Each structure stands twice: as structure tokens, then as C-alpha cells.
Amino acid sequence: MTSNPTSADSALSGRPEGWHQIDWRHVEWTVRGIQIRIAKAARERKWRQVKALQRFLTRSFCGRALAVKRVTENKGRRTPGVDRELWGTPKAKWRAIGRLKRRGYKALPLRRVRIPKANGKERLLGIPTMRDRAMQALYLLALQPVAETTADPNSYGFRPQRSTADAITQCHQMLCKRGCPEWILEADIQGCFDHIDHQWLVDHVPMDKKVLRSWLKAGVVDMGRVWKTDEGTPQGGIISPTLANMALDGLEALLAEHFGAKGSKRRRKTKVGLVRYADDFIVTGISKELLEQEVKPLIEVFLATRGLKLSPEKTCVTHVNHGFDFLGWTVRKFGTKVLIKPSRKNTKAFLDKCRGIIKASNGVAQEYLIWQLNPVIRGWVNYHKHQVASDAFASVDAALWKSLWKWARRRHNNRRRRWIARRYWHTVGNRQWTFAVPTAGVEAGEKAVSLTYASDTRIKRHIKVKAEANPFDPAWEVYFEELSRKRMEDSLRHRRRINTLYARQKGKCLQCMNLITHETGWHVHHLIPRVQGGPDTLENLVLLHPNCHRQVHHLATSVTLLVPLGA
């Protein structure tokens, strides 16, 4: 697999003169090489070298170009800040690279957006300007290797190749063995992003202090006024989760200091362990008294130095036999087995969302309703498919069937039930009652636009990332590539054509030869264009990064697949 440049592509070998002439393979490799050196210096505690390498990265062309690429390809690229500026054209992106300079930089206020929460409160998000977002992405490239090197091993929130599935799998491993702890401290930090002490961040986060202080003190525009920000991180910004993680890192080391390192005699006696996802975490212990009288005060002192405190309404000590909720799951021990199931609260929120979509779709076509429901159903199912969720999937299917039946009856209140059933439910594959629109005839039941059923998804155990793995350590590079490939293929299982192309290309974009992930996204490219008679078959298709796809068409390059399908 390779990419063959034409004469129009010759500019890629020299200094680029525009956005589409940038050699992204060179950019990615250059930035990663510097990040590896930063991580190595951080492991060796050579902080002066870390600072010098960070300065080099943030001033380099490659770092600035990659930062602009990230903020112009993520989901928020069409959401403007207070200046209403967007970078939607190659010309604007190219000019933006030259604007990412530290000298004279001052962050503009954030645009306040209010997101309603399940408890009736609101989550306050701040939308930075495009330039501020790009500056955050640029400095994050230099900060993330340090954050990953110094992070707690069992911290799984907002980190590369880590997710809620890893956190809940670690939780199961801590509680499923014989002689495991039976008491759990469920902890939640009150307004974590909104109350982190600014001075603590400036003193302890290893990055440019002037730039960091500019973000923290930028202020927000809300209700037509500019409000000062005296505490908290700029929630909604690209770098905010990493800053919050670095503020909470050290908690696991603190517990190890007081209760012994992993495997020590005191640790085996107290059975203290930690699993954290962002600001939600649990701590295990041998008794309720240990957690309430020793562990909890220790955590409160740790948080107080950072301007934080535990939420009284969400922090409690629970026995594992009674069960507890964590990250949308209910963890409970039945006899000698620990079962993790979708929580009632999470399931109810999902069904409420689906019912809201159904009620709001009284006058729409059945096909459109299916297109609206399927991504919601598939997302919820994929989140829970690694745990004991078969019963929950069956109950969800039954509840959705009832809602869809009511939807159909409201549309045809003068028709008989059998007529309604024949109109909206058909036999597709082995399932007789499928809410579907057959496009090849009801009898054929082929190529139907059908509803996704939760119970059709197989339960498959999640492959947990190793706690000590560091994505910026070359020793772990092959491990993370293989892990990423397996997870992508698993997530694309329902999209057979994309999965086949992904496996054939070994998960890499054929233009820049970098990995294709959910974060980077992908486009399907025709080797022979359709306008030139190219077929829409697998032999004529490849996957490219969105930016690489645009570059191929702009520079008229040809992408060649050297490995034939099935080889």
C-alpha cells in the first residue's frame, strides 16, 4: 500500500506554500519524535530539558500545523467563539498557522453555553475562539507526554487509549477475586472543573506559565456581560481535561504512601485500591471504618490544597453486596460472583431519550424515525456490550417495541391491529417482528431499513489497557497499535465494508501512513473516480483521513493499493 505523487505533488518534498501542500506524514512523525523525547526527559526528572523541548515543539511549524489540523477537524469546528470566527477554508487554515505565536498572545473571553443535567442543574461550558483552541491544542501536544508519564496508573478518564470500559474492567478485577475488599467509598468531586485553584495549576503544571495564566483568567461572556474567572479550568477547552487530570494525579501515590505499595503486607491487610475516571472515583477498603475515618479525611486534605472538596450528596460508603453505581453501571456481588450491569438510572435516561424521539416524530416517515433511533440505540449498546447486559438489552427492546406500537396506533387509530403490524413490522433475516421498511418488497425482506435491536449484539469482554502502558514510550508503540486496531475492528463490526477496508489497510491511511481512529475520522476514497466509470466495489475503495482525502483531490495525487483484496 502506498501513495504515488504526480507532478503536482512535487511541492510536498520541499517547503509547503499552502495548506494542501503540507506533508502530514512528516508533520506527525516530527511531532511524535519530540513528544517521545519529552516523555523520556519527564521519566528521568530532567525538567529543564522538558521545558526546552516543549518550547521547541510549540514554536515549530509542525506543531502549529498539527494543532490547526486538530481544531479544524473535530466535532466543534463549526462552533464559533466570541469573535464568531471559523477556519473553514484551506486559505484560512494556512493563515492560522502563522498566527499561533506566544509573543503578544492574550486569550479572549469564553462564550458561555448552558447544558441541562439530569438532576435539574446546568453544566456550564465555555467555548473558546478558534485561535485560543488552536493554542490550547498546540500546548497540549507538549504537555500530554508529561501528563501521561506522571499520571496515576489507574486513572482512565480523558487519556489516550483509555475509556470507561477500562475503568469498569479494573473495578471488576479488584472485586472479583477471593479475599477481595468488600467496602467501597463512592466519591464525587463537587464542581471539579469549576473550582480548581488557579495558583496551584500555575505552580505545578509544567508548561508556559504566562500562556496558562492567560487561559485561566480569560473570563466568560454570559448574558451580555464579561465575568471574571477566579477559579476553575476553561471547561469546554481542549486542554481542560488534561489540566483537571494533572490536578488529581498523585492521589494513588498518596494512598500508597499511607497504606503501603501494591503487594506490600499493609496493603494486603487494608485492601485499599483506587479506580478513577476524571472526577468520579471509587476507593476500596477492608472495612467501613477504615474508609470513613482514614481514607476519606486523607482525600479531603488532598483535594483542599487544590481548591476542591467532595460532594456530600454523592459521596458514601457502600458494601459490595448491596451494590453501587459507577459510570453508568451497577456493580454488585452475588455470593462469590461480581456482576456488572447497566444501571437503572442509565437505562431510564436512554429510554427517555428514545421515547422523546418517537413522540416528536408523529408525522415523519417510518424510515426517518429508524434513522434517528439507530445511532442512539447503537451507541448505548456499544457502551454496555462488554458487561452482563443481555437481560437489560431484552428489556430495552421490549420497552421500545411498546413505544413504537403506540406510535403506529396513533398514526392509524381507525385501522385494525393486524393491518398496522403488516404495515410496520416485517420479517428480516431470522427475526419476524422487525420494525423495518423493506425496499425490495415485503416478501423479499432484503435491503430493509430496519431498527437496530439491542439483543442482537453479542456480549464480548473488553480488553483492558495495561495500567503502566505509556503511549509516548517507544517500548509500548507496537502494543498500542495492536490494541487500537483490535478496538477499531470491534467497533466497526456492524459496518462490514468499512471494517474490511480498515483490516486490509492494517488501520492506516494510505496517504500519510498514520493510524485511522475514531478521533481522526475517515473518508472512503475511490481509486478510479466514479465520474470516470470507477465501480463502487471494495477493490476500488480505500480509507483516508478527511484532510488527506481533500489533499489527494486538490493535488490530483493517485493512491495505489499494492496489496489486493484477500491477500
Side-chain angles (χ1 to χ4, degrees), residues 116-417:
K117 297 172 68 174
N119 58 5
K121 298 181 180 179
E122 292 180 328
R123 176 177 284 110
L124 304 179
L125 296 182
I127 308 300
T129 63
M130 290 297 294
R131 187 189 180 198
D132 292 337
R133 270 180 259 177
M135 285 293 283
Q136 289 187 21
L138 175 60
Y139 280 85
L140 180 59
L141 291 174
L143 179 63
Q144 203 165 39
V146 181
E148 286 298 308
T149 304
T150 59
D152 288 344
N154 288 307
S155 165
Y156 297 96
F158 305 112
R159 295 179 60 191
Q161 297 291 344
R162 296 182 183 232
S163 64
T164 53
D166 294 299
I168 201 67
T169 303
Q170 174 65 19
C171 184
H172 181 269
Q173 291 177 1
M174 291 172 59
L175 299 174
C176 69
K177 299 176 183 177
R178 181 180 296 179
C180 63
E182 297 184 343
W183 289 95
I184 311 295
L185 172 64
E186 304 174 60
D188 182 84
I189 302 172
Q190 187 173 9
C192 178
F193 283 89
D194 299 327
H195 299 296
I196 297 178
D197 183 65
H198 284 182
Q199 193 57 46
W200 191 95
L201 289 174
V202 172
D203 292 340
H204 294 87
V205 174
M207 65 167 289
D208 192 301
K209 310 300 181 184
K210 181 181 176 181
V211 175
L212 177 58
R213 191 178 286 108
S214 179
W215 294 333
L216 297 176
K217 302 297 183 181
V220 295
V221 175
D222 190 20
M223 306 297 289
R225 290 183 56 187
V226 179
W227 303 84
K228 291 183 179 181
T229 48
D230 297 323
E231 59 182 4
T233 61
Q235 189 172 359
I238 293 175
I239 204 170
S240 299
T242 302
L243 293 178
N245 265 337
M246 296 192 76
L248 298 176
D249 283 334
L251 183 56
E252 194 166 353
L254 179 67
L255 295 176
E257 181 183 342
H258 283 75
F259 301 101
K262 185 178 180 181
S264 65
K265 184 176 181 181
R266 178 162 168 74
R267 187 69 168 267
R268 290 197 301 269
K269 182 179 179 180
T270 58
K271 300 179 181 177
V272 172
L274 171 75
V275 179
R276 180 170 68 83
Y277 185 90
D279 58 337
D280 292 328
F281 61 93
I282 64 164
V283 182
T284 61
I286 191 65
S287 66
K288 184 176 182 179
E289 293 73 20
L290 174 73
L291 294 175
E292 287 183 339
Q293 298 174 14
E294 295 188 48
V295 174
K296 188 177 177 182
L298 201 63
I299 295 174
E300 288 175 339
V301 172
F302 173 85
L303 295 177
T305 61
R306 292 152 173 80
L308 302 172
K309 60 181 180 179
L310 293 175
S311 172
E313 57 185 24
K314 295 183 180 180
T315 302
C316 59
V317 178
T318 312
H319 196 276
V320 70
N321 290 346
H322 295 154
F324 62 94
D325 288 353
F326 186 52
L327 303 176
W329 288 285
T330 296
V331 183
R332 188 176 178 183
K333 195 168 187 178
F334 297 87
T336 58
K337 286 189 176 182
V338 174
L339 300 183
I340 301 176
K341 303 179 180 181
S343 67
R344 292 184 179 181
K345 182 179 178 181
N346 183 273
T347 304
K348 182 180 181 300
F350 163 71
L351 288 175
D352 288 344
K353 184 175 182 178
C354 291
R355 287 165 181 155
I357 294 173
I358 294 170
K359 288 181 180 179
S361 305
N362 284 336
V364 305
Q366 180 188 11
E367 191 172 1
Y368 181 75
L369 176 59
I370 293 173
W371 285 340
Q372 282 189 301
L373 286 175
N374 276 353
V376 179
I377 297 171
R378 195 175 292 122
W380 186 81
V381 169
N382 287 338
Y383 186 83
H384 292 289
K385 69 179 181 180
H386 304 296
Q387 306 304 328
V388 185
S390 296
D391 292 343
F393 288 173
S395 64
V396 160
D397 284 343
L400 288 180
W401 187 93
K402 291 179 182 178
S403 297
L404 292 171
W405 180 257
K406 291 179 181 178
W407 174 85
R409 289 293 304 274
R410 280 197 303 269
R411 292 164 66 93
H412 307 283
N413 55 8
N414 59 344
R415 291 283 189 172
R416 294 187 176 183
R417 296 183 178 183

Side-chain angles (χ1 to χ4, degrees), residues 437-563:
V437 183
T439 57
V442 175
E443 291 79 11
E446 298 175 356
K447 298 181 180 179
V449 178
S450 59
L451 187 74
T452 298
Y453 284 85
S455 54
D456 288 344
T457 301
R458 294 186 306 168
I459 303 298
K460 184 178 180 181
R461 291 301 175 192
H462 178 74
I463 304 174
K464 178 187 163 303
V465 66
K466 294 182 179 179
E468 66 277 10
N470 185 345
F472 298 102
D473 186 345
W476 292 97
E477 187 164 357
V478 176
Y479 168 79
F480 275 110
E481 284 192 7
E482 185 66 18
L483 183 67
S484 177
R485 184 186 62 80
K486 288 181 179 178
R487 290 183 175 180
M488 277 290 292
E489 289 181 357
D490 181 57
S491 66
L492 295 174
R493 192 175 299 277
H494 65 283
R495 305 176 66 176
R496 293 184 179 179
R497 188 163 79 160
I498 300 297
N499 201 359
T500 301
L501 296 174
Y502 183 86
R504 183 177 67 180
Q505 299 174 202
K506 298 182 179 179
K508 294 185 177 181
C509 168
L510 300 189
Q511 176 71 1
C512 66
M513 297 307 295
N514 291 311
L515 290 176
I516 295 175
T517 65
H518 284 293
E519 289 73 24
T520 63
W522 62 83
H523 283 177
V524 178
H525 172 67
H526 291 79
L527 299 174
I528 303 175
R530 297 295 300 277
V531 295
Q532 298 179 11
D536 195 31
T537 59
L538 288 173
E539 290 78 4
N540 192 45
L541 299 177
V542 293
L543 296 181
L544 301 176
H545 289 136
N547 194 72
C548 294
H549 191 205
R550 289 187 287 268
Q551 190 179 60
V552 165
H553 284 286
H554 181 80
L555 298 178
T557 57
S558 60
V559 180
T560 304
L561 181 65
L562 298 180
V563 180

